[in-house]
Amino acid sequence: MQSTLNIMSKFFYKGSRVNMQDNRGTGYTSKKVVRVGTETSPAKVLVQTEAREEELLALAKAHNIVVDIVVSEEEPEDTCQLDALINTATTQVNEKLPSRNDPCLCDSGKKYKKCCGA
């Protein structure tokens, strides 16, 4: 009879007869975000010369990006992660249109609703 009450209290809530187990601290955390270019996940860059390494270090420092640079003369240069972090897309803000009763943008002296907004 007791196990039936426990099962039924899950389906028909009339108060908390059974304390439910708290599982928030276990398992997979889906909200964790690791960004490339931070201390925990530095951007990986492969260059061929030490001069190029110094150039990219200065560029990363100017943009506050943490990089892990490997110098290898045999392999081709790979700066994809650093380029993607520096050249991020920015949103453009359009000029706000005036409301109906504001003066028109074309300086005609009329209200916007009777001039360009018609």
Side-chain angles (χ1 to χ4, degrees), residues 9-23:
S9 68
K10 293 178 185 177
F11 297 112
F12 303 103
Y13 182 75
K14 292 184 179 179
S16 58
R17 286 188 181 180
V18 178
N19 292 334
M20 302 301 278
Q21 185 178 5
D22 184 17
N23 293 323

Side-chain angles (χ1 to χ4, degrees), residues 50-67 69 82 86:
E50 291 184 9
R52 180 75 172 147
E53 177 187 14
E54 295 297 324
E55 178 185 339
L56 292 180
L57 278 174
L59 184 64
K61 188 175 182 180
H63 289 281
N64 295 328
I65 300 172
V66 179
V67 293
I69 299 178
L82 183 62
I86 291 173

